[in-house]
Amino acid sequence: MPWQDGCCADEGRRQAFSQYLARADGWTVGAIDQRRLPHEFVVARLTNAADAADAIRSMLVRGAPLVGATAAYGVALAMRADNSDANLDQAYKLLIATRPTAINLKWALDEIGAGASSSARSARVDAAYTRAREISEEDVAINRDIGRHG
C-alpha cells in the first residue's frame, strides 16, 4: 500500500529527494512510485523481498542503477526477516527472476550477496543494509556528477 507523502514540506519550498526515503522505523524502504509521476508524488512502502521484486517487475522503479539498488534493498529486507543462507539464496532467485538480463540487477545482487554470505549470521542484516545504502548513494553521486558535468 502506497504512502501519500507530500513533496513540498518545509514551508512550501521544494525539497530534493533521493529515490529511496529512509523510514523512521530504520528498516522499511520507501521508493518513489515512478509510474505515478509527474501527476502524483507517491512513496511505495517496501517491507520484504517480494515487495522489492514487485517494484522491479511492475516498473514502480525504473532505470538500471535504480533497479539494482532496489534489488539490494530487497536482499536487506529478506535478511532482516531470516538471515539464513537458504533465505539469502531464495531472495537472490526471486529478485534475479524479475529481469534476468539486467546487468545492474545481477551486479547489485552479487555485491550484496557476497557481503552478506561472508558476514557472520549475526552481522548479515547490518551488512546488507549498509551495502544497499552504499549502492543507492553511489547511484545518486553518479547522477549528480552527470548533472554537473554533462
Side-chain angles (χ1 to χ4, degrees):
M1 170 174 277
W3 290 322
Q4 294 288 334
D5 287 353
C7 70
C8 302
D10 191 30
E11 301 171 12
R13 294 184 301 243
R14 287 202 172 269
Q15 293 179 333
F17 284 95
S18 170
Q19 171 62 33
Y20 290 101
L21 305 174
R23 303 320 311 172
D25 62 18
W27 62 270
T28 304
V29 178
I32 299 169
D33 186 342
Q34 295 183 7
R35 302 167 302 186
R36 311 276 290 270
L37 294 173
H39 304 291
E40 293 178 276
F41 184 86
V42 176
V43 178
R45 179 185 216 163
L46 309 180
T47 62
N48 55 48
D51 288 347
D54 184 61
I56 296 167
R57 192 178 305 107
S58 70
M59 296 189 69
L60 183 142
V61 295
R62 298 177 186 177
L66 188 53
V67 167
T70 302
Y73 274 113
V75 171
L77 290 164
M79 291 293 87
R80 184 176 185 279
D82 171 5
N83 62 6
S84 69
D85 290 338
N87 197 47
L88 179 60
D89 186 54
Q90 182 179 356
Y92 185 99
K93 288 176 181 175
L94 171 71
L95 291 157
I96 196 71
T98 61
R99 296 211 190 134
T101 61
I103 301 300
N104 288 62
L105 172 68
K106 183 174 183 335
W107 172 82
L109 288 172
D110 289 345
E111 280 285 308
I112 200 159
S117 65
S118 66
S119 298
R121 278 193 63 183
S122 61
R124 282 186 179 176
V125 175
D126 287 338
Y129 273 99
T130 297
R131 188 63 186 125
R133 190 170 29 261
E134 290 169 353
I135 289 169
S136 181
E137 289 171 0
E138 288 167 8
D139 179 42
V140 170
I142 289 167
N143 286 311
R144 187 177 298 121
D145 287 347
I146 290 171
R148 283 187 187 140
H149 306 293

